[in-house]
């Protein structure tokens, strides 16, 4: 880790397409054969690192790194099923869902001289989600935690204060279940972790990071679990998927995610093509605090003006189905119909009632080429009912910063917005971003209902699957009734990998499980 030199509070931005030249320049002259002979894996990461803190991580670009350099009690297994398997734990007894006993694998060493992982590190890692100084973005993952009782050097009990259905679906096996070093965080003098992980506990360690160029991982000698195949993994932050495909075709990457429209081009080749249904959700959001969209009749008119089937067909050519809500199938709570579908005559009538004929609106979105197609089709559909739509495409980090700019008023520039989210295999992870306290954070629609929030909180505690499913259906109904949401698609995730490599991904293929890649 001696090469890793940054200021922990250094402001980071996601990589734009302009960073590709820097990334590819570092690959020049090093072909795939060289990479394989030296057991080096070169893979695209769809963004640069931002925050490697389990409580406040930035996104899957961070989690891809985190799942390699940190260990949790359990982890998702690679494959098609959302099963969990032991990781840092040798025992996890969930026979009492309110009191989960665990025992750690002895001998796991944190890097940078911070010693062996103990039950005290588990206690610290999970209880800190409630620490106001941490300001955990993912605090809801551990909202039901009472305490972690340490019963021995390697043993303890996770005690809950109330039932929590997502514990084994989206908390413990996911990034919120990763274990960090108590000593390392305390020695840093900060409550949180930025892009410097401070101490690694997984199969790999962060050896080098050149922002916007490369993230280099090497084996962690202190890891006592299953040994990973690759000696080194090089992640190249390339935000633009088209640029990543170009780098793969040139032999500069061993593995990359590809656009859905590129799937057909790789079928029948020697490469390994991986395509899995995504646990994602894309929708058109409307800013209800924007004066042009304050009238629900206007928002309802826009809902009726949009032909989602036409948008999805034009964008993905039949490879993706329309969405009927935010919760993706096969998760509990996935809907099978919408409340306000395509009806252009109704749309025109509502606009007339609202006195909003000839309305001028803008659609803001990031650099995803698929969404550009969505935008163009949407623009034509809204024109048919008399709405003039202008397109605002920008770097995703810039867009999010504007939508979250509450003090400066940047959020007022948002009319319509598309920013796809991904989720974990529990519906609570889908709905939690649309509460009142998420307004101006991730709730870009700025819808707020205390009653909705109360029902959302109750759904997390409900252990009856049938009742819980109905609660999530009703929560989505209420969101649609606000007029601020038009559900688009859940999509698929597609990757291509060079011959000779056996890739490994989360069951939805959103994240590459780097520690599980090996020779085929």
């Amino acid at each position: 880790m001696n090469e890793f030199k940054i200021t922990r509070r250094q402001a980071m931005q996601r990589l734009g397409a302009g960073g590709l030249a820097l990334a590819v320049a570092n690959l020049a002259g090093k072909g795939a054969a060289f990479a394989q002979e030296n057991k080096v894996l070169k893979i695209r990461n769809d963004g640069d690192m931002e925050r490697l803190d389990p409580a406040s991580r930035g996104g899957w670009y961070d989690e891809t790194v985190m799942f390699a350099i940190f260990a949790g009690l359990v982890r998702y297994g690679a494959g098609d099923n959302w099963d969990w398997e032991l990781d840092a734990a040798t025992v996890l007894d969930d026979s009492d869902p309110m009191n989960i006993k665990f025992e750690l694998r002895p001998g796991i060493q944190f890097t940078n001289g911070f010693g062996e992982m103990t039950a005290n590190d588990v206690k610290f890692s999970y209880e800190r989600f409630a620490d106001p100084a941490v300001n955990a973005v993912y605090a809801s993952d551990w909202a039901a935690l009472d305490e972690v009782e340490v019963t021995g050097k390697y043993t303890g009990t996770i005690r809950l204060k109330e039932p929590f259905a997502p514990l084994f679906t989206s908390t413990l096996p996911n990034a919120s279940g990763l274990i960090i070093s108590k000593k390392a965080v305390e020695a840093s003098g900060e409550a949180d972790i930025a892009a410097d992980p401070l101490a690694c506990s997984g199969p790999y360690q962060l050896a080098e990071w050149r922002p916007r160029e490369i993230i280099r991982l090497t084996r962690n000698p202190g890891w006592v679990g299953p040994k990973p195949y690759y000696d080194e993994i090089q992640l190249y932050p390339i935000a633009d998927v088209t640029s990543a495909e170009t780098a793969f075709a040139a032999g500069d990457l061993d593995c990359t995610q590809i656009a859905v429209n590129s799937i057909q081009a790789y079928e029948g080749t020697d490469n390994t093509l991986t395509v899995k249904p995504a646990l994602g959700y894309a929708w058109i959001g409307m800013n209800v605090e924007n004066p042009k969209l304050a009238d629900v009749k206007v928002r309802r008119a826009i809902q009726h003006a949009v032909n989602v089937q036409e948008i999805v067909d034009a964008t993905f050519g039949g490879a993706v189905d329309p969405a009927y809500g935010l919760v993706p199938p096969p998760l509990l709570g996935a809907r099978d119909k919408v409340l306000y579908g395509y009806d252009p005559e109704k749309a025109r009538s509502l606009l007339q009632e609202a006195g909003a004929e000839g309305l001028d609106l803008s659609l803001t979105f990031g650099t995803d080429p698929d969404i550009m197609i969505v935008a163009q089709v949407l623009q034509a559909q809204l024109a048919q009912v008399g709405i003039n739509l202008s397109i605002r495409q920008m770097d995703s980090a810039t867009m999010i910063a504007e939508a979250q700019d509450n003090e400066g008023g940047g959020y007022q520039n948002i009319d319509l917005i598309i920013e796809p989210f991904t989720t974990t295999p529990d519906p609570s992870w889908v709905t939690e971003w649309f509460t009142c306290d998420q307004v101006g954070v991730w709730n870009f629609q700025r819808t707020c209902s205390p009653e909705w929030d109360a029902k959302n909180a109750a759904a997390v505690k409900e252990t009856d699957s049938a009742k819980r499913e109905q609660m999530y259906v009703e929560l989505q109904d209420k969101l649609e009734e606000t007029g601020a949401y038009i559900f688009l698609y859940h999509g698929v995730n597609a990757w291509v990998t060079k011959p000779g490599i056996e890739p490994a991904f989360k069951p939805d293929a959103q994240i590459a499980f780097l520690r599980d890649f090996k020779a085929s």
Side-chain angles (χ1 to χ4, degrees), residues 103-325:
E103 182 172 346
L104 288 172
R105 187 191 305 266
I108 298 175
Q109 299 293 323
F110 286 106
T111 58
N112 294 330
F114 286 107
E116 187 178 13
M117 180 188 292
T118 70
N120 281 319
D121 294 304
V122 178
K123 179 181 178 67
F124 174 78
S125 297
Y126 299 164
E127 291 183 357
R128 67 190 288 271
F129 277 71
D131 184 350
V134 175
N135 192 26
V137 174
Y138 297 94
S140 60
D141 280 351
W142 284 109
L145 180 65
D146 183 16
E147 65 167 340
V148 177
E149 179 187 1
V150 174
T151 57
K153 183 176 182 180
Y154 304 115
T155 60
T157 302
I158 300 170
R159 301 197 184 280
L160 303 184
K161 56 190 175 185
E162 58 191 7
F164 187 64
L167 184 63
F168 283 94
T169 55
S170 61
T171 296
L172 279 173
N174 204 28
S176 291
L178 295 173
I179 303 164
I180 59 176
S181 168
K182 181 175 185 289
K183 292 178 182 177
V185 175
E186 290 177 343
S188 74
E190 302 286 353
D192 61 346
I193 296 172
D196 179 352
L198 305 178
C200 302
S201 61
Y204 289 98
Q205 61 182 336
L206 181 60
E208 180 185 19
W209 177 41
R210 297 200 298 272
R212 298 172 63 88
E213 293 185 45
I214 188 172
I215 303 161
R216 190 166 64 87
L217 309 180
T218 56
R219 291 186 188 276
N220 176 9
W223 173 246
V224 297
K227 184 178 179 180
Y229 174 79
Y230 285 97
D231 300 311
E232 180 175 318
I233 296 177
Q234 298 175 2
L235 296 100
Y236 292 87
I238 305 172
D240 179 58
V241 68
T242 303
S243 299
E245 290 179 34
T246 300
F248 179 85
D252 295 328
L253 292 174
D254 298 323
C255 180
T256 184
Q257 195 164 16
I258 61 174
V260 174
N261 286 326
S262 298
I263 292 174
Q264 189 173 4
Y266 291 101
E267 290 176 340
T269 69
D270 292 335
N271 300 300
T272 298
L273 181 64
T274 303
V275 181
K276 296 187 179 183
L279 286 191
Y281 47 112
W283 74 100
I284 300 168
M286 304 181 213
N287 179 4
V288 300
E289 294 186 12
N290 186 304
K292 291 183 288 186
L293 295 164
D295 189 338
V296 68
K297 289 182 179 179
V298 174
R299 302 196 298 270
R300 185 79 73 236
I302 296 171
Q303 287 179 317
H304 284 306
V306 177
N307 185 336
V308 175
Q309 183 71 62
E310 184 180 58
I311 288 175
V312 171
D313 287 346
T315 306
F316 302 111
V320 170
D321 294 326
Y324 300 113

Side-chain angles (χ1 to χ4, degrees), residues 180-517:
I180 59 176
S181 168
K182 181 175 185 289
K183 292 178 182 177
V185 175
E186 290 177 343
S188 74
E190 302 286 353
D192 61 346
I193 296 172
D196 179 352
L198 305 178
C200 302
S201 61
Y204 289 98
Q205 61 182 336
L206 181 60
E208 180 185 19
W209 177 41
R210 297 200 298 272
R212 298 172 63 88
E213 293 185 45
I214 188 172
I215 303 161
R216 190 166 64 87
L217 309 180
T218 56
R219 291 186 188 276
N220 176 9
W223 173 246
V224 297
K227 184 178 179 180
Y229 174 79
Y230 285 97
D231 300 311
E232 180 175 318
I233 296 177
Q234 298 175 2
L235 296 100
Y236 292 87
I238 305 172
D240 179 58
V241 68
T242 303
S243 299
E245 290 179 34
T246 300
F248 179 85
D252 295 328
L253 292 174
D254 298 323
C255 180
T256 184
Q257 195 164 16
I258 61 174
V260 174
N261 286 326
S262 298
I263 292 174
Q264 189 173 4
Y266 291 101
E267 290 176 340
T269 69
D270 292 335
N271 300 300
T272 298
L273 181 64
T274 303
V275 181
K276 296 187 179 183
L279 286 191
Y281 47 112
W283 74 100
I284 300 168
M286 304 181 213
N287 179 4
V288 300
E289 294 186 12
N290 186 304
K292 291 183 288 186
L293 295 164
D295 189 338
V296 68
K297 289 182 179 179
V298 174
R299 302 196 298 270
R300 185 79 73 236
I302 296 171
Q303 287 179 317
H304 284 306
V306 177
N307 185 336
V308 175
Q309 183 71 62
E310 184 180 58
I311 288 175
V312 171
D313 287 346
T315 306
F316 302 111
V320 170
D321 294 326
Y324 300 113
L326 296 175
V327 177
L331 298 191
L332 175 148
R335 300 196 311 174
D336 58 7
K337 62 181 180 180
V338 297
L339 304 180
Y340 303 99
Y342 179 56
D343 187 342
E345 289 302 320
K346 183 67 173 177
R348 295 186 189 97
S349 175
L350 286 168
L351 289 171
Q352 186 177 25
E353 288 180 31
E357 300 99 323
L359 183 64
D360 293 317
L361 295 173
S362 65
L363 173 69
T364 304
F365 58 98
T367 57
D368 188 325
D370 290 335
I371 300 180
M372 174 57 81
I373 300 174
V374 172
Q376 292 169 341
V377 178
L378 178 65
Q379 187 179 50
Q381 291 180 353
L382 294 186
Q384 292 175 5
V385 299
I387 296 175
N388 305 308
L389 184 71
S390 60
I391 292 174
R392 300 177 71 226
Q393 186 178 35
M394 61 183 69
D395 174 77
S396 293
T398 303
M399 177 187 73
I400 291 170
E402 181 178 74
Q404 295 176 339
D405 181 15
N406 301 307
E407 294 183 3
Y411 74 91
Q412 296 175 7
N413 296 325
I414 302 296
D415 295 345
L416 309 184
I417 187 170
I418 302 177
E419 170 61 6
F421 285 6
T422 58
T423 187
T424 62
D426 192 274
S428 64
W429 249 70
V430 177
T431 58
E432 69 173 290
W433 314 110
F434 305 98
T435 58
C436 293
D437 62 6
Q438 285 292 321
V439 169
V441 183
W442 291 110
N443 181 352
F444 302 143
Q445 297 71 221
R446 308 182 81 87
T447 53
C448 175
S449 166
E451 294 78 14
W452 192 94
D453 289 5
K455 187 162 192 171
N456 187 58
V460 175
K461 304 173 189 177
E462 180 56 64
T463 56
D464 183 298
S465 295
K467 292 180 180 178
R468 192 165 186 247
E469 179 167 23
Q470 184 58 33
M471 293 173 79
Y472 282 108
V473 169
E474 292 172 359
L475 284 166
Q476 292 169 90
D477 289 348
K478 292 296 184 183
L479 288 181
E480 189 178 0
E481 286 170 1
T482 68
Y485 301 81
I486 302 172
F487 311 116
L488 293 176
Y489 52 84
H490 302 295
V492 297
N493 288 317
W495 293 74
V496 63
T497 310
K498 287 185 176 180
I501 300 173
E502 183 179 325
F505 305 98
K506 285 179 71 174
D508 63 342
Q510 179 62 52
I511 291 176
F513 279 159
L514 303 177
R515 60 160 82 179
D516 296 314
F517 274 64

